[in-house]
Amino acid sequence: PLMRNELINRDQPSSQAAAGRNKLLAAMLEHAGQEDLGIDKFPPEKAMYRALLRAPGLHRLEDGAWGFHRPPEPDPYRFGPVFSAIDDQLLADEGRPLGLPPLFARLSGPPYGLKAGTLPIIMMAYYLANQREIALYEDGVFCPTLGSEHLELLARRPERFAIERSRLQGGRLVLFRKYLQTIVGQIPEPATLLDIIRPLARFMRSLPPYAHKATHLSDTAVAIRDTFPRARGPAALLFETLPRACGFAPIAIASQDEGEMDDYLRTLVTGLRELREAYRGMIEDFQQHLARAFGLDPCRSLAPLRQALTERCRNLDRYAGDDRQDLRTFIRRLTASHHEDQPWLESVLTLLGKSPPQKWADEQRLQAIDNLSDLAVRLRDPLDYKRLSLLSRSNGHVALL
């Protein structure tokens, strides 16, 4: 291939060139939809971009949008054979990940002759042009998406990475798309295997830490959650490990049993919904604990509950002595007015659990319930209440508890 950039077209690029390459890789990942990848002025990475990506047409404007594509026809910069060589190697290894070192070794030899400095850029361009079909592995573990945390490592330690082509589409994936769109959002049609996996992985990553730690969920929800970190590959995840997590035997990709697929996918969606609602359910449950602790209706919605607690505890904090610092802090948290209702409740829970509730494990949730019970009992204690209420009235305040 013709690559007119002597800075990076080397087997051992300088540290300046390597730094520019890392910036270019980040721009490829983060700004693929922008002309010149959003690179301003003319730093070294822009010269690399112009020579390796824009001039050969690997990054170009199509249908009004900038993006990465396979080499155009005609192909005066001769990148087509490089992409075809990668295609052939992936096809020969179809069904198992292909390590980057042997692939790079092939592209470095005749007739391609790519220099080591350019290989990560060309590999990234190939991945982005075919990302609906290319699965990435790091240290043998499936990575649903290529993230910024992978970029510099991919350039320095390619031996830690492998890729696999997953061309499965249609058929079984129609049902996955139908069911999972209600959970993960819009999925392209026709969907490829990775079109299903990637939004599913994003959904799992978007769950609050609490949903990843909670153990009081159903066995199915916990099994689904614990399956993702151990995923061996996209096809194995959808057709083997997730069915097992849902209580089904592995499903043949070519299976025509619609009933079996329907049952599996309904169970999967139910488990995913439970994971999605785990944190909100815990918050709502704690709201009821808070109401009961003060003898209020647990069915009361959050805004009236907050108002009732504020009215009961307003100004009592100033009469809690220094030996009751925790009680005073609790009263102030209950009567704080600088938050909306939901952040207010989460602030109260943060105090009770000693950390934000999004990060709780079940042990912290139970400890927070115990702390709430203890503090509420102390607020209702006849001696404490008598002292606090008398002091309050003597200063012109009326506090009802």
Side-chain angles (χ1 to χ4, degrees), residues 40-66:
D40 293 329
K41 300 182 180 179
F42 213 84
E45 59 267 24
K46 191 165 189 175
M48 298 177 197
Y49 161 76
R50 290 283 179 87
L52 274 69
L53 300 173
R54 180 154 179 172
L58 302 183
H59 186 248
R60 60 182 185 264
L61 186 67
E62 278 199 6
D63 300 324
W66 285 91

Side-chain angles (χ1 to χ4, degrees), residues 336-349:
S337 59
H338 56 280
H339 291 305
E340 297 296 328
D341 291 339
Q342 183 73 17
W344 167 81
L345 180 59
E346 291 177 336
S347 174
V348 173
L349 269 59

Side-chain angles (χ1 to χ4, degrees), residues 134-164:
I134 301 297
L136 178 74
Y137 294 81
E138 181 184 4
D139 296 328
V141 177
F142 171 56
C143 303
T145 54
L146 176 64
S148 57
E149 68 276 11
H150 298 121
L151 296 179
E152 186 177 351
L153 192 59
L154 188 147
R156 290 191 298 107
R157 300 283 304 278
E159 67 275 9
R160 294 184 58 178
F161 293 90
I163 57 174
E164 178 186 8

Side-chain angles (χ1 to χ4, degrees), residues 11-226:
D11 278 327
Q12 293 183 327
S14 66
S15 58
Q16 179 191 13
R21 180 181 61 190
N22 289 340
K23 293 177 182 177
L24 175 57
L25 292 172
M28 292 172 70
L29 183 64
E30 297 167 8
H31 304 293
Q34 298 181 31
E35 184 176 4
D36 288 338
L37 300 177
I39 304 172
D40 293 329
K41 300 182 180 179
F42 213 84
E45 59 267 24
K46 191 165 189 175
M48 298 177 197
Y49 161 76
R50 290 283 179 87
L52 274 69
L53 300 173
R54 180 154 179 172
L58 302 183
H59 186 248
R60 60 182 185 264
L61 186 67
E62 278 199 6
D63 300 324
W66 285 91
F68 284 92
H69 303 278
R70 297 178 69 85
E73 291 291 343
D75 179 27
Y77 286 80
R78 303 194 294 270
F79 274 78
V82 174
F83 273 55
S84 295
I86 300 174
D87 291 340
D88 293 344
Q89 195 68 44
L90 288 172
L91 184 62
D93 285 76
E94 191 164 21
R96 64 181 184 274
L98 169 65
L100 291 189
L103 181 59
F104 283 2
R106 178 176 179 183
L107 296 177
S108 298
Y112 312 104
L114 295 183
K115 300 294 186 180
T118 68
L119 283 167
I121 300 172
I122 303 305
M123 190 68 251
M124 173 73 85
Y126 180 90
Y127 174 87
L128 293 173
N130 299 278
Q131 58 185 310
R132 293 184 66 194
E133 296 182 354
I134 301 297
L136 178 74
Y137 294 81
E138 181 184 4
D139 296 328
V141 177
F142 171 56
C143 303
T145 54
L146 176 64
S148 57
E149 68 276 11
H150 298 121
L151 296 179
E152 186 177 351
L153 192 59
L154 188 147
R156 290 191 298 107
R157 300 283 304 278
E159 67 275 9
R160 294 184 58 178
F161 293 90
I163 57 174
E164 178 186 8
R165 190 157 198 165
S166 300
R167 295 183 294 176
L168 180 66
Q169 53 186 307
R172 304 292 86 209
L173 300 185
V174 173
L175 281 175
F176 277 101
R177 181 178 180 275
K178 168 187 168 185
Y179 278 95
L180 293 182
Q181 280 193 142
T182 63
I183 294 291
V184 303
Q186 191 65 32
I187 297 174
E189 185 180 12
T192 67
L193 184 60
L194 292 174
D195 289 332
I196 302 295
I197 287 291
R198 287 188 173 124
L200 194 53
R202 284 195 295 271
F203 167 84
M204 295 300 295
R205 285 199 304 270
S206 71
L207 294 173
Y210 175 79
H212 289 282
K213 298 177 182 178
T215 58
H216 66 281
L217 306 175
S218 70
D219 291 344
T220 298
V222 171
I224 290 171
R225 179 190 68 194
D226 294 347

Side-chain angles (χ1 to χ4, degrees), residues 173-395:
L173 300 185
V174 173
L175 281 175
F176 277 101
R177 181 178 180 275
K178 168 187 168 185
Y179 278 95
L180 293 182
Q181 280 193 142
T182 63
I183 294 291
V184 303
Q186 191 65 32
I187 297 174
E189 185 180 12
T192 67
L193 184 60
L194 292 174
D195 289 332
I196 302 295
I197 287 291
R198 287 188 173 124
L200 194 53
R202 284 195 295 271
F203 167 84
M204 295 300 295
R205 285 199 304 270
S206 71
L207 294 173
Y210 175 79
H212 289 282
K213 298 177 182 178
T215 58
H216 66 281
L217 306 175
S218 70
D219 291 344
T220 298
V222 171
I224 290 171
R225 179 190 68 194
D226 294 347
T227 286
F228 277 82
R230 303 192 302 269
R232 294 184 292 106
L237 179 63
L238 286 186
F239 295 99
E240 294 179 25
T241 54
L242 278 176
R244 286 194 182 100
C246 293
F248 296 86
I251 296 173
I253 292 177
S255 170
Q256 299 299 314
D257 189 341
E258 296 287 340
E260 179 185 42
M261 284 291 293
D262 276 337
D263 291 343
Y264 156 46
L265 289 173
R266 274 197 295 269
T267 304
L268 176 60
V269 168
T270 298
L272 293 173
R273 283 203 181 106
E274 185 178 351
L275 290 169
R276 184 180 63 186
E277 300 299 321
Y279 177 68
R280 184 168 66 180
M282 183 272 290
I283 291 291
E284 291 174 352
D285 180 65
F286 214 102
Q287 179 182 326
Q288 295 180 3
H289 280 290
L290 187 59
R292 290 191 186 97
F294 287 90
L296 299 172
D297 180 5
C299 296
R300 181 179 297 203
S301 60
L302 183 56
L305 172 63
R306 180 183 184 181
Q307 182 179 357
L309 291 174
T310 299
E311 291 173 354
R312 288 191 175 205
C313 300
R314 184 182 289 118
N315 297 321
L316 291 184
D317 61 298
R318 69 183 67 180
Y319 306 113
D322 292 338
D323 58 333
R324 293 177 174 81
Q325 181 62 42
D326 57 341
L327 190 60
R328 179 163 50 187
T329 303
F330 180 55
I331 294 169
R332 288 176 177 172
R333 197 66 63 96
L334 286 176
T335 56
S337 59
H338 56 280
H339 291 305
E340 297 296 328
D341 291 339
Q342 183 73 17
W344 167 81
L345 180 59
E346 291 177 336
S347 174
V348 173
L349 269 59
T350 298
L351 175 67
L352 295 170
K354 311 302 182 186
S355 69
Q358 297 93 333
K359 299 180 179 181
W360 284 0
D362 280 340
E363 295 80 5
Q364 289 167 290
R365 177 177 64 88
L366 295 173
Q367 185 60 53
I369 292 174
D370 289 342
N371 291 340
L372 169 63
S373 299
D374 175 63
L375 288 166
V377 166
R378 290 169 60 192
L379 263 176
R380 295 198 311 268
D381 181 88
L383 295 178
D384 275 353
Y385 173 64
K386 181 178 180 181
R387 184 171 66 86
L388 292 176
S389 60
L390 286 174
L391 284 169
S392 178
R393 290 190 181 95
S394 71
N395 282 272

